Amino acid sequence: MSKVVIATDFLIERDDATLYLDLLVTMYPKATLMTLSFQEGKILGEIEMRKIQASFLSHKIKRKDDIGKYFYLIPSAMKSMKVPEDTDLLITISHGFIHGLDVPLSTKHLCYFYQDFKPKLSFVNKLFYPYVRKFQTNSYKTLPHLYSTSKLTTNEVIQPCFKTQDFPLIMNPEYAHDYYVVEGDNTDATTLKTILTALKRLKVLVKVTGDNPLLNKLKTEFHDGAYIEFWGKRCNGDLSVLLQGCRALIDGTDTVFPHKTFSALASGRPVIVAKNSTMEEFLSPKQAKFFSPNNKNELEQMIKAMENDYRFIDSTELRRFALHFNERKFKGDLARQVRRLVPIEMEDA
């Protein structure tokens, strides 16, 4: 019987990447998990029911803000973790670190690069940054089976997915569609400010979601209680209701697969997105309106047009497109790549 190990950088809170881990533990129910830091009770679900091996960083890195404090210890933590010699297959979901595990020569290693996480570093850790970065880069050079969410990162892509069943299409006549939702995570300060400035000038109802640290600084400038509200991080259940009732989602994501945009499309709602390489890879003008991140006037004109256009959108067509990025397809694509490496059956793993 084949032995599988699944590794991810941190198990300290649920995020977009956790979905892939959820899918992997259902594909390989007997697999052991490895991570740099595990905080019990923060992930729950099937993941916490598995055997989890974590490094000494579990005592130090308890939330995302701690990563920057102990950045210099990551290479040491990686070297302290050993993949068991009898492991047939190692699958890593990497944010930039865990792919550097010490892997036995006989073990096949498939790495899915989700996002290069760049924490806010203290002064001391900035001194160690070149050392840690070199460790990351050298680790990548040894990976013969490296895949990613995007062709912008690697030539080998396994199409990403989002939790499609959490975002149904509900045609409720009681929805007024009288507010906009702004996706505040994975967006830079310039783009966020462009979006919020345009919305504030137009005096439309806005609900900003996400726990991006930049939002804390922008709250004092834009939160007014009457038009713009900051809702923080929301679970999929809350987010689904929020998206179902919105006029449109505005998303400036420019780092990873835009989960919130696809969640809105699956809910049958139109989207206005920043024009960047990430968005242009996954979307076309048929599914989204694109604005230049530094052009407030262009964005304002799009929002003014949306005030009328949202009534005539084809919700079913938007959802049909979004559902191409479903969990079953991701699992099938990943399983095909695994079968190229080892003769392993999901139910045996």
Side-chain angles (χ1 to χ4, degrees):
M1 184 178 293
S2 300
K3 181 173 181 178
V4 178
V5 172
I6 300 169
T8 193
D9 298 78
F10 303 103
L11 288 173
I12 54 180
E13 67 173 51
R14 278 200 163 266
D15 57 21
D16 290 340
T18 311
L19 166 62
Y20 301 102
L21 208 60
D22 284 330
L23 296 176
L24 283 172
V25 297
T26 61
M27 292 172 70
Y28 306 105
K30 297 180 182 178
T32 298
L33 302 185
M34 297 183 72
T35 186
L36 289 169
S37 175
F38 168 53
Q39 300 304 310
E40 188 173 356
K42 296 295 185 180
I43 307 297
L44 300 177
E46 288 287 327
I47 293 173
E48 288 206 17
M49 295 173 66
R50 301 289 171 261
K51 179 181 178 182
I52 299 175
Q53 177 187 340
S55 79
F56 63 84
L57 287 181
S58 290
H59 301 293
K60 299 181 181 297
I61 296 179
K62 300 181 184 296
R63 52 197 182 93
K64 279 189 176 180
D65 289 347
D66 294 332
I67 299 174
K69 297 178 186 176
Y70 300 103
F71 192 71
Y72 69 100
L73 290 176
I74 287 177
S76 298
M78 296 293 302
K79 292 174 184 177
S80 72
M81 301 178 71
K82 303 294 182 184
V83 177
E85 290 291 336
D86 60 344
T87 301
D88 297 292
L89 172 67
L90 169 66
I91 301 177
T92 57
I93 304 295
S94 180
H95 283 73
F97 304 111
I98 201 69
H99 60 273
L101 281 171
D102 186 4
V103 183
L105 291 176
S106 61
T107 300
K108 300 296 184 181
H109 182 189
L110 185 152
C111 176
Y112 192 59
F113 180 73
Y114 177 72
Q115 178 185 4
D116 188 0
F117 182 73
K118 297 178 181 178
K120 184 177 180 180
L121 301 175
S122 64
F123 174 76
V124 173
N125 279 284
K126 287 179 181 178
L127 299 178
F128 283 94
Y129 182 79
Y131 163 67
V132 178
R133 199 65 182 173
K134 184 178 181 181
F135 171 82
Q136 291 176 295
T137 303
N138 288 342
S139 299
Y140 274 127
K141 291 178 180 178
T142 65
L143 295 175
H145 306 289
L146 174 63
Y147 301 86
S148 74
T149 58
S150 168
K151 63 185 179 183
L152 301 171
T153 309
T154 64
N155 290 326
E156 296 289 336
V157 174
I158 296 178
Q159 182 176 283
C161 64
F162 69 104
K163 214 160 187 177
T164 55
Q165 71 269 24
D166 284 359
F167 299 95
L169 174 59
I170 301 175
M171 309 295 280
N172 189 337
E174 294 185 3
Y175 285 142
H177 297 128
D178 58 351
Y179 61 87
Y180 291 85
V181 174
V182 173
E183 160 57 5
D185 285 327
N186 301 311
T187 305
D188 61 56
T190 300
T191 305
L192 270 175
K193 199 156 188 177
T194 297
I195 294 170
L196 294 176
T197 299
L199 290 166
K200 187 173 183 178
R201 287 178 57 178
L202 292 172
K203 292 186 177 181
V204 293
L205 296 177
V206 181
K207 303 180 190 300
V208 184
T209 65
D211 58 356
N212 184 341
L214 293 170
L215 295 176
N216 290 327
K217 298 178 180 179
L218 294 171
K219 278 182 185 179
T220 56
E221 183 177 353
F222 291 99
H223 184 93
D224 59 16
Y227 291 103
I228 299 181
E229 301 175 349
F230 288 76
W231 282 44
K233 188 174 183 178
R234 295 281 160 162
C235 68
N236 280 0
D238 290 342
L239 187 63
S240 177
V241 174
L242 200 62
L243 292 174
Q244 291 286 350
C246 77
R247 184 159 292 180
L249 172 80
I250 302 176
D251 191 351
T253 297
D254 190 21
T255 54
V256 291
F257 176 64
H259 280 78
K260 300 300 188 301
T261 282
F262 276 86
S263 299
L265 292 172
S267 303
R269 304 314 306 151
V271 295
I272 301 173
V273 301
K275 187 176 183 180
N276 56 53
S277 54
T278 300
M279 290 296 189
E280 289 181 309
E281 179 176 4
F282 294 111
L283 300 162
S284 77
K286 289 183 179 180
Q287 298 92 34
K289 293 183 181 295
F290 292 85
F291 71 93
S292 302
N294 58 352
N295 192 330
K296 299 183 185 69
N297 292 330
E298 180 184 41
L299 179 56
E300 284 186 27
Q301 292 305 313
M302 287 186 180
I303 296 170
K304 287 178 180 178
M306 186 62 72
E307 292 291 286
N308 181 62
D309 294 349
Y310 81 93
R311 298 181 178 89
F312 309 105
I313 63 164
D314 186 341
S315 296
T316 55
E317 186 60 33
L318 293 180
R319 179 171 176 79
R320 188 177 296 113
F321 169 76
L323 292 185
H324 286 113
F325 295 82
N326 64 77
E327 305 96 318
R328 181 178 293 182
K329 185 177 187 306
F330 172 84
K331 290 170 70 172
D333 290 345
L334 181 69
R336 280 189 286 276
Q337 298 306 327
V338 167
R339 285 195 292 269
R340 291 173 53 188
L341 297 179
V342 291
I344 186 172
E345 295 296 331
M346 288 189 221
E347 58 267 25
D348 293 336

